[in-house]
Amino acid sequence: MSLSPAAFAARQVFAAASHSSHEGGARTWKILTIVLAIPGVGVCMANAYMKMQAHSHSQPEFVAYPHLRIRTKKFPWGDGNHSLFHNTHTNALPDGFENSHH
């Protein structure tokens, strides 16, 4: 199999790169984690906390749209009207929100 001079040169470059040392790779990733990742997670946590504090915790007004909360048959658990992961504060029933005091 005969290689062109450009292909032979590229093959030599890739072969040489595979034998070069990779010292300092773990140190580089450790520094990047400490300098970028940990502060980035901290900024994201602060942003989520501030947005949570500014968010109103009042229940939204219930609007009975005809295409939502259609029950053609009962759920096989409980009273048949509540979904499996029902939350009284955020999930409305077909006739409106339940009376819940938070």
Side-chain angles (χ1 to χ4, degrees):
M1 173 157 104
S2 162
L3 294 175
S4 69
F8 184 73
R11 186 174 178 185
Q12 282 184 326
V13 169
F14 288 129
S18 68
H19 294 293
S20 68
S21 66
H22 294 286
E23 296 174 10
R27 184 175 182 270
T28 302
W29 283 106
K30 184 177 181 180
I31 290 171
L32 285 173
T33 300
I34 292 170
V35 172
L36 294 176
I38 294 173
V41 169
V43 167
C44 290
M45 287 174 54
N47 183 35
Y49 179 75
M50 289 188 290
K51 286 191 179 279
M52 183 185 72
Q53 294 298 322
H55 178 71
S56 68
H57 294 284
S58 62
Q59 204 168 44
E61 180 183 342
F62 178 75
V63 180
Y65 292 111
H67 64 281
L68 296 177
R69 290 172 288 281
I70 298 172
R71 305 279 198 269
T72 57
K73 62 179 182 177
K74 292 181 175 259
F75 290 116
W77 51 81
D79 65 351
N81 201 23
H82 294 80
S83 63
L84 184 60
F85 301 105
H86 184 76
N87 183 337
T88 58
H89 184 69
T90 57
N91 300 119
L93 296 174
D95 54 348
F97 286 103
E98 296 177 64
N99 293 332
S100 63
H101 302 286
H102 285 281

